[in-house]
């Protein structure tokens, strides 16, 4: 949904979030900042460098280069979260403030008890892996025909990579396919990954 029909807007929203501040200050170190989709340390998977980092200048430029041209020309943006208390979690307040400060975009927030009954424009959700494999993030959540692809993201190139990885027996080649898949997803920016939980 507009304005997220423009990849540059989605990328700008990704680069405008200070994940380090979010995890260290707001979450008190009880999570670690996401550098991509797949958590670091996932068996058989490595990331040579972060795929996501705070870059306010680039985020602002992407927004300016988008078809909307400026924050003032964006359609209204509403972030939908689960709940009914009327009180916003601290991390949601922080993220909304970052979009205001870093992009000049005012994001409204609405709460609902059934997140996907309202066809949200922009929503907050989470995921816990069922088993330790990048497939449980990349394929389950982003393949165009997956029932758990809640953002309705679709990319034929990504589907092809994921389908190859399903049957690839060589661990190195399989890892490469998943790295390419993750890079494709981050470039298209259907998600704003925030953090991964810490196990003690």
């Amino acid at each position: 949904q507009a304005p997220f029909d423009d990849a540059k807007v989605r990328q700008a929203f990704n680069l405008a979030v200070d994940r380090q501040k979010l995890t260290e200050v707001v979450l008190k170190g009880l999570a670690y900042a996401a550098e991509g989709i797949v958590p670091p340390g996932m068996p058989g998977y490595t990331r040579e460098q972060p795929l996501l980092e705070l870059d306010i200048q680039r985020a602002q430029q992407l927004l300016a280069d988008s078809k909307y041209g400026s924050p003032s020309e964006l359609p209204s943006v509403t972030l939908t979260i689960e709940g009914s208390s009327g009180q916003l979690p601290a991390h949601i307040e922080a993220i909304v403030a970052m979009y205001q400060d870093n992009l000049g975009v005012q994001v409204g927030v609405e709460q609902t008890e059934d997140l996907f009954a309202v066809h949200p424009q922009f929503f907050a959700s989470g995921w816990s892996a069922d088993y330790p494999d990048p497939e449980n993030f990349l394929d389950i959540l982003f393949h165009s025909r997956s029932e758990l692809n809640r953002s309705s993201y679709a990319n034929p190139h990504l589907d092809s990579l994921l389908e190859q990885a399903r049957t690839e027996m060589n661990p190195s080649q399989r890892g490469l396919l998943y790295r390419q898949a993750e890079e494709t997803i981050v470039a298209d920016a259907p998600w704003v990954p925030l953090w991964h939980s810490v196990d003690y």
Side-chain angles (χ1 to χ4, degrees), residues 24-192:
E24 293 171 8
V25 177
V26 180
L27 300 177
K28 312 295 185 186
L30 297 177
Y32 54 92
E35 298 177 350
I37 306 295
V38 178
M42 183 65 65
Y45 188 81
T46 58
R47 184 183 293 119
E48 295 179 1
Q49 60 185 13
L51 297 177
L52 288 169
E53 294 182 290
L54 177 68
D55 191 336
I56 298 172
Q57 184 175 359
R58 185 172 172 228
Q60 292 173 346
Q61 188 61 54
L62 282 163
L63 203 56
D65 292 342
S66 75
K67 70 180 183 180
Y68 298 100
S70 71
S72 63
E73 296 301 316
L74 289 181
S76 61
V77 176
T78 300
L79 175 62
T80 304
I81 64 173
E82 288 186 311
S84 58
S85 68
Q87 296 182 338
L88 300 185
H91 68 275
I92 295 295
E93 289 186 333
I95 292 164
V96 168
M98 289 174 191
Y99 286 138
Q100 178 67 59
D101 295 343
N102 298 340
L103 285 182
V105 176
Q106 184 173 353
V107 176
V109 182
E110 67 174 7
Q111 290 185 319
T112 178
E113 293 184 357
D114 187 351
L115 191 61
F116 299 108
V118 296
H119 304 291
Q121 172 199 38
F122 183 37
F123 61 91
S125 188
W127 177 252
S128 295
D130 300 298
Y131 43 89
D133 192 281
E135 185 266 351
N136 197 236
F137 287 84
L138 303 176
D139 200 325
I140 297 295
L141 300 174
F142 295 99
H143 193 284
S144 65
R145 292 190 296 277
S146 172
E147 293 181 0
L148 292 173
N149 179 354
R150 299 293 196 181
S151 60
S152 300
Y153 169 61
N155 181 326
H157 173 63
L158 175 69
D159 284 352
S160 176
L161 291 170
L162 295 173
E163 288 161 13
Q164 290 177 61
R166 290 175 187 174
T167 56
E168 178 56 59
M169 299 298 290
N170 183 295
S172 296
Q173 181 61 24
R174 187 172 184 266
L176 176 60
L177 289 166
Y178 280 130
R179 283 194 294 278
Q180 293 172 343
E182 185 177 34
E183 289 166 3
T184 299
I185 295 165
V186 170
D188 281 346
W191 271 25
V192 179

